[in-house]
């Protein structure tokens, strides 16, 4: 393992990350909220730490191996999440405790959207902007990690495509070099953000709200500049714009790349994962809307608006809200929560287990049923028109097993801190799926949870964002063995 090379990269990352705290300084000066000093201090701490790590190792140049990639991927979010918490701890009257600051920072960078803050609209503008920017930066990091990096390590949703499965990736990269892939993805991500920003502006948002919400919409984060989230605006047009960009961002960014390069939309209709996502969202929305109508929870218009929006928002793991869905009748809140386990497509900014894994689990289940009827038959699992090798199937079941095991362990851990079962189940599910909203005592925010529970949920956010195996592999003796 090239430890010095890893430290050099980590030092560079920290110094680059410090630059992202400059825009909040400008926002602070523009609005006169007197918080610019906090961001300057955070910049200095981050830069100096980065230099201390980088300078002794600046001449370390060596080809990175797979094990190095795992460690860099895990350190990327862990270290930046910790240093990203500094402004939250330094902003005067709005300062958070270290635990809450780390929770808010990780929630932003992992695009989870869970918050410990109440009275969000009363925060200084620079802090509001910083929260939204964290999600945007995290979303970009996720796309590059999921499409350009994790497949080369053999993990992540996009690694399931490889050369065997039809779809956007015939290889592990869209372009011959990872740097070119990352650049292409950044252009698409930035273009979607700009388009979303202009659409929100045209729909009636002021520039500050439009910018902040475009950041968290394209990142599928869910942070808002208001406690009431998207519901604050009470606008059908804004809700439609939000839903459109959530669905687009929940699709694979490699599909967007191919559609842009080929100037054709057929790739979306031909891709099994994108088709499944659209049908799943449509079915869930119908159930939600009809349930709200039949139970008399809302009238025809409100039932349509709220049911459709919440179904798309929760299923894509954004967590934006126009209504308190946790108070909806019957099993509807639980059903919406279960939809978040599916999440977005692989290579998107969405969370969850990823659509491609759900497709493969369903198809394998059907294959086992058919084998009971025809024991001697050779039945292939197909995605599209191409068979999926058994190795891919085993990887999916391995991920699913690890996912359930970790979910159970963290659920027990959170309950052991004194949290009730409903709250514990929903908070673990929400953070592991990078969703945000929860049920029970955390339906409004996570602020009242015990400190230990918050740290467990921070780990859940990290595991969910890095698709579990990237973190678990670091705890195996074989990883550290020479």
């Amino acid at each position: 393992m090239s430890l010095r090379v890893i430290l050099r990269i980590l030092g560079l990352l920290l110094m680059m990350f410090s630059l992202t705290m400059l825009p909040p300084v400008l926002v602070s000066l523009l609005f006169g909220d007197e918080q610019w000093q906090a961001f300057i201090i955070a910049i200095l701490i981050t830069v100096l730490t980065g230099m201390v790590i980088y300078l002794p190792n600046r001449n370390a140049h060596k080809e990175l191996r797979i094990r190095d990639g795992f460690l860099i991927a895990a350190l990327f979010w862990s270290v930046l999440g910790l240093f990203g918490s500094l402004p939250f701890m330094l902003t005067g009257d709005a300062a958070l405790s270290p635990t809450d600051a780390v929770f808010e920072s990780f929630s932003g960078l992992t695009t989870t959207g869970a918050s410990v803050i109440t009275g969000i609209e009363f925060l200084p503008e620079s802090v509001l902007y910083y929260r939204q920017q964290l999600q945007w930066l995290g979303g970009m990091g996720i796309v590059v990690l999921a499409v350009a990096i994790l497949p080369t390590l053999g993990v992540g949703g996009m690694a399931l495509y490889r050369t065997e499965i039809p779809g956007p990736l015939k290889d592990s990269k869209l372009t011959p070099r990872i740097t070119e892939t990352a650049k292409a993805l950044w252009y698409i991500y930035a273009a979607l953000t700009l388009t979303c920003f202009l659409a929100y502006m045209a729909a009636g948002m002021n520039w500050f709200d439009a910018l902040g919400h475009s950041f968290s919409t394209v990142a599928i984060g869910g942070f808002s500049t208001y406690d009431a989230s998207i519901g604050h605006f009470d606008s059908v047009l804004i809700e439609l714009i939000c839903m459109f960009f959530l669905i687009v961002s929940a699709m694979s960014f490699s599909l967007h790349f191919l559609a842009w390069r080929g100037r054709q939309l057929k790739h979306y209709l031909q891709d099994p994962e994108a088709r499944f996502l659209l049908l799943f969202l449509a079915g869930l929305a119908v159930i939600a809307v009809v349930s709200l109508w039949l139970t008399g929870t809302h009238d025809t218009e409100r039932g349509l608006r709220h049911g459709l929006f919440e179904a798309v928002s929760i299923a894509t793991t954004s967590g934006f809200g126009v209504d308190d869905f946790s108070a909806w009748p019957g099993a509807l809140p639980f059903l919406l929560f279960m939809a978040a386990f599916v999440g977005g497509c692989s290579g998107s900014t969405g969370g969850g287990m990823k659509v491609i894994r759900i497709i493969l689990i369903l198809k394998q289940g059907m294959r086992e049923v058919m084998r009971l009827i025809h024991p001697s038959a050779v039945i292939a699992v197909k995605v599209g028109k191409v068979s999926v090798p058994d190795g891919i199937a085993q990887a999916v079941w391995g991920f699913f097993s690890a996912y359930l095991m970790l979910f159970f362990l963290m659920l027990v851990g959170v309950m052991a801190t004194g949290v009730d079962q409903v709250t514990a189940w929903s908070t673990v599910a929400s953070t592991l799926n990078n969703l945000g909203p929860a049920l029970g005592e955390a339906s409004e925010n996570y602020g009242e949870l015990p400190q230990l529970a918050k740290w467990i949920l921070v780990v859940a956010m990290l595991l969910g964002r890095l698709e579990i195996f990237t973190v678990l592999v670091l705890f195996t003796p074989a990883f550290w063995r020479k």
Side-chain angles (χ1 to χ4, degrees), residues 331-383:
L332 197 50
F334 181 77
L335 176 64
L336 291 177
F337 241 90
M338 292 304 296
F341 281 81
V342 178
C345 296
S346 54
S348 73
T349 54
M353 287 192 286
K354 301 297 182 293
V355 172
I356 187 64
R357 290 192 178 100
I358 301 301
I359 292 174
L360 289 174
I361 288 171
L362 291 174
K363 287 181 176 289
Q364 289 173 74
M366 289 303 299
R367 180 174 67 171
E368 295 309 311
V369 171
M370 293 303 294
R371 279 179 170 173
L372 291 175
I373 302 170
H374 306 286
S376 301
V378 178
I379 304 168
V381 173
K382 291 186 177 181
V383 175

Side-chain angles (χ1 to χ4, degrees), residues 179-198:
T179 52
E180 293 300 313
T181 302
K183 190 185 297 183
L185 294 170
W186 193 92
Y187 287 142
I188 295 168
Y189 189 75
L192 281 176
T193 306
L194 177 61
T195 308
C196 185
F197 166 71
L198 295 174

Side-chain angles (χ1 to χ4, degrees), residues 90-293:
L90 299 169
T91 46
D93 295 336
L96 300 177
S97 67
T99 296
D100 285 352
V102 170
F103 185 96
E104 200 76 12
S105 176
F106 271 89
S107 182
L109 277 173
T110 60
T111 72
T112 300
S115 182
V116 294
I117 300 174
T118 53
I120 290 171
E121 52 258 54
F122 301 110
L123 289 174
E125 285 82 0
S126 55
V127 178
L128 282 175
Y129 172 84
Y130 180 65
R131 290 174 78 244
Q132 305 301 119
Q133 181 185 268
L134 274 178
Q135 294 213 311
W136 189 76
L137 293 171
M140 181 68 265
I142 290 157
V143 171
V144 174
L145 183 85
V147 178
I149 298 173
L150 288 187
T152 65
L153 303 179
V155 298
M158 295 304 272
L160 299 177
Y161 276 105
R162 297 287 179 140
T163 57
E164 297 91 349
I165 299 179
L169 293 187
K170 296 299 181 184
D171 190 42
S172 61
K173 301 184 286 290
L174 301 178
T175 53
R177 298 179 61 184
I178 286 181
T179 52
E180 293 300 313
T181 302
K183 190 185 297 183
L185 294 170
W186 193 92
Y187 287 142
I188 295 168
Y189 189 75
L192 281 176
T193 306
L194 177 61
T195 308
C196 185
F197 166 71
L198 295 174
Y200 277 143
M201 284 274 288
M205 282 190 186
N206 63 50
W207 73 266
F208 185 78
D209 287 339
L211 182 62
H213 284 89
S214 66
F215 280 170
S216 54
T217 301
V218 175
I220 310 189
F223 273 168
S224 175
T225 51
Y226 300 95
D227 280 319
S229 191
I230 295 293
H232 168 85
F233 302 99
D234 194 21
S235 166
V236 175
L237 183 55
I238 286 175
E239 290 164 20
L240 288 172
I241 290 168
C242 184
M243 284 189 289
F244 172 78
F245 281 97
L246 287 178
I247 294 171
V248 169
S249 300
M251 291 183 180
S252 170
F253 271 67
S254 58
L255 272 179
H256 301 325
F257 176 85
L258 291 179
W260 168 74
R261 187 173 64 179
R263 304 293 191 271
Q264 293 178 326
L265 298 178
K266 66 178 184 180
H267 299 290
Y268 297 104
L269 299 176
Q270 292 175 347
D271 184 66
E273 204 178 9
R275 289 202 307 267
F276 185 97
L277 175 68
L278 292 174
L279 290 172
F280 180 73
L281 291 176
L284 185 67
V286 169
I287 293 172
V289 171
V290 171
S291 297
L292 292 176
W293 285 345

Side-chain angles (χ1 to χ4, degrees), residues 113-118 120 227-229 310 314 319-321 323-328 333 337 419-420 422-427 430 435-449 457:
S115 182
V116 294
I117 300 174
T118 53
I120 290 171
D227 280 319
S229 191
E310 291 294 334
I314 301 300
F320 283 125
D323 196 5
D324 182 10
F325 79 95
S326 66
W328 285 357
F337 241 90
V419 177
D420 67 89
V422 172
T423 305
W425 181 88
S426 63
T427 51
S430 185
L435 168 62
L439 306 176
E441 295 177 4
S443 58
E444 291 187 7
N445 63 72
Y446 289 60
E448 298 302 316
L449 294 179
L457 297 177

